[in-house]
Amino acid sequence: MTATLLDDPDHRAFLAEDARRALNLFDASPRAGGGFHGLDPAGQPLPADLQELHSTTRLVHSYALAQMAGRPDRAGIIDQGMDFLWNGHRDRDHGGYLWSVTGDGPVNGIKLAYGHVFVLLAASSAKMAVHPDADRLLDDITLVLDRHFWDAQAGLFRDEFTCDWQAFSTYRGMNANMHGVEALLAAHEATGDGEYLTRAGGILRFFIAGQAAGNDWRIPEHYDADWRPDHAYSGNPMFRPAGTTPGHSFEMARLLLQWWDLAGRPTGDAVAQATALVRRGLSDAWSDDLGGLVYTLNRDGGVDNAARYWWPVTEAIGALAALLKVQPTSEFDGWYRKLWQFAGQHMVDARHGGWHHELGPDNQPVMTQFQGKPDIYHALQADLLPLTPGLSGQAKDLAQLQPLGV
């Protein structure tokens, strides 16, 4: 069997230490009175009072993983996040969860599938970390997703509603469904309920076997009400950019392998499909001149947005780590090493902790799309998932390994 960087003791020690540094930085997140601060590059709170649903949920999920991995939640982030989801984001009048709030109340009451599936992820991870409020949140978000967002005929998540659940667009998207798969797999691990796993598998089949396979292994991001690709769509440049997004192909590849493992490794094309997604994403997105991965492509695979963010690199690392566990080849090991070498040189902030979120043309950190370091979730998973021996049962593996110590 080919020896890979995944097995190298020095690399594994680096992963654990990078995770600890990030957690130490984000320990400064809790805000007096509830919710969380955004952080500047040095980990100091930013003055903005706005709290978005995906930020709250990702912090809960990340610190739940870290707690299972042996790093106590010294800052009380899981407790504060679970309380703020229930008492800050939850819409007591209409049900569901508000996208953005401040200490004075709702700012944007739109109900997005993207945010709601992260509530499911947070609740599931909190349950695996044995949080006392996890079942309450898990039961509520499962009901909300099933009642409002789940398109039973298509077997996919619809995207958006007004605060009182009126449909105001026909937009359908891959991003919310991709993170829906992530959340459904976590919910299955947390509860053992097979319906979560079944739904995740159906979503993966639609976007990978049904879309990527017919589009040269690039996944269309945007769809109309009948789930037909809308190649002309151009929405929010961060959450709904035009074209295709290679970083999402890496995420989908990893999630496909996680589902395949949880489903008992059924015969079929899961490994081949994951391999095709990763190879296409690396071929399309790697910047030969500067390193790193470009953000978006046009329909034919040319670069549309050449910005280089941290999260596609973290997701490529996660996908390659998963593939290396199935087929430890020199090809995948070479790419895994290459990505970590680039990240270690340009994106990992060894001084303050966490990762720089964007690089400029001189490979120095810039802040055009993001202010400071608003997110621990992507980079923490890039550290933790390669440390686990399996493709699924991530929480169980972390709890058994305790790679972050006490």
Side-chain angles (χ1 to χ4, degrees), residues 17 19-28 63 71 74 352:
E17 183 56 30
R20 291 188 198 99
R21 284 197 304 264
L23 291 158
N24 291 342
L25 180 90
F26 280 86
D27 278 351
Y63 273 78
R71 198 273 191 182
R74 295 187 287 264
H352 296 111

Side-chain angles (χ1 to χ4, degrees), residues 192-221:
D193 188 335
E195 181 62 19
Y196 293 120
L197 186 65
T198 298
R199 290 189 178 188
I203 295 170
L204 289 164
R205 281 191 296 276
F206 176 84
F207 286 106
I208 298 176
Q211 295 294 330
N215 286 276
D216 205 12
W217 296 104
R218 302 180 186 103
I219 310 174
E221 288 278 333

Side-chain angles (χ1 to χ4, degrees), residues 13 93 152 172 224 243 260-261 309 320 380:
D93 296 325
R172 307 286 185 265
D224 64 18
W260 173 70
D261 197 50
Y309 302 128
L320 286 161
L380 185 70

Side-chain angles (χ1 to χ4, degrees), residues 12 15-20 23 61-71 317 321 325 336 340 377-390 394 397-398 401-404:
R12 295 178 69 81
L15 294 175
E17 183 56 30
D18 190 50
R20 291 188 198 99
L23 291 158
H61 165 69
S62 297
Y63 273 78
L65 288 182
Q67 182 167 289
M68 288 182 276
R71 198 273 191 182
I317 284 169
K325 294 172 187 179
Y336 182 81
W340 268 117
Y377 151 86
H378 286 288
L380 185 70
Q381 292 192 150
D383 288 328
L384 294 183
L385 297 184
L387 289 171
T388 63
Q394 296 165 345
D397 284 351
L398 288 172
L401 290 174
Q402 295 274 297
L404 301 188

Side-chain angles (χ1 to χ4, degrees), residues 27-98:
D27 278 351
S29 298
R31 179 189 290 127
F36 301 103
H37 296 287
L39 303 178
D40 72 10
Q44 296 302 307
L46 293 169
D49 190 30
L50 189 70
Q51 181 73 38
E52 293 182 324
L53 184 57
H54 71 295
S55 297
T56 310
T57 51
R58 286 175 171 186
L59 274 168
V60 171
H61 165 69
S62 297
Y63 273 78
L65 288 182
Q67 182 167 289
M68 288 182 276
R71 198 273 191 182
D73 180 11
R74 295 187 287 264
I77 283 175
I78 304 172
D79 287 341
Q80 184 143 324
M82 291 293 283
D83 177 76
F84 199 72
L85 284 170
W86 195 256
N87 295 306
H89 285 290
R90 187 170 61 96
D91 184 345
R92 294 181 178 88
D93 296 325
H94 304 291
Y97 294 80
L98 304 167

Side-chain angles (χ1 to χ4, degrees), residues 69 90 100 135 170 176 188 250 301 333 342 360 369 395:
R90 187 170 61 96
S100 60
D135 284 329
T170 59
H188 172 70
F250 302 132
D333 186 52
F342 177 81
Q369 184 66 55

Side-chain angles (χ1 to χ4, degrees), residues 135-328:
D135 284 329
R136 175 180 69 176
L137 186 63
L138 184 58
D139 290 345
D140 185 66
I141 187 58
T142 298
L143 180 63
V144 170
L145 286 168
D146 196 57
R147 178 177 294 169
H148 297 290
F149 290 103
W150 186 247
D151 180 343
Q153 183 175 356
L156 299 161
F157 288 111
R158 305 181 188 92
D159 264 77
E160 54 194 4
F161 297 89
T162 64
C163 187
D164 60 352
W165 300 109
Q166 302 303 306
F168 66 89
S169 83
T170 59
Y171 176 81
R172 307 286 185 265
M174 192 273 282
N175 196 8
N177 278 279
M178 177 189 73
H179 285 294
V181 170
E182 178 185 29
L184 290 165
L185 294 179
H188 172 70
E189 183 179 354
T191 67
D193 188 335
E195 181 62 19
Y196 293 120
L197 186 65
T198 298
R199 290 189 178 188
I203 295 170
L204 289 164
R205 281 191 296 276
F206 176 84
F207 286 106
I208 298 176
Q211 295 294 330
N215 286 276
D216 205 12
W217 296 104
R218 302 180 186 103
I219 310 174
E221 288 278 333
H222 312 296
Y223 298 79
D224 64 18
D226 296 317
W227 296 101
R228 296 172 301 199
D230 183 355
H231 296 292
Y233 181 89
S234 179
N236 180 291
M238 190 65 257
F239 294 108
R240 297 181 185 175
T244 65
T245 309
H248 287 162
S249 292
F250 302 132
E251 290 190 69
M252 289 292 266
R254 174 175 61 81
L255 293 168
L256 176 62
L257 292 175
Q258 186 183 352
W259 169 84
W260 173 70
D261 197 50
L262 285 167
R265 301 197 171 194
T267 57
D269 300 327
V271 175
Q273 290 172 350
T275 299
L277 287 169
V278 170
R279 282 177 172 158
R280 169 55 68 196
L282 292 169
S283 175
D284 283 343
W286 178 258
S287 173
D288 289 325
D289 296 330
L290 297 171
L293 297 161
V294 302
Y295 183 36
T296 64
L297 311 170
N298 60 37
R299 187 177 180 182
D300 297 322
V303 175
D304 185 39
N305 184 337
R308 291 169 305 133
Y309 302 128
W310 87 112
W311 72 262
V313 175
T314 69
E315 293 303 332
I317 284 169
L320 286 161
L323 283 170
L324 282 168
K325 294 172 187 179
V326 179
Q327 41 188 16

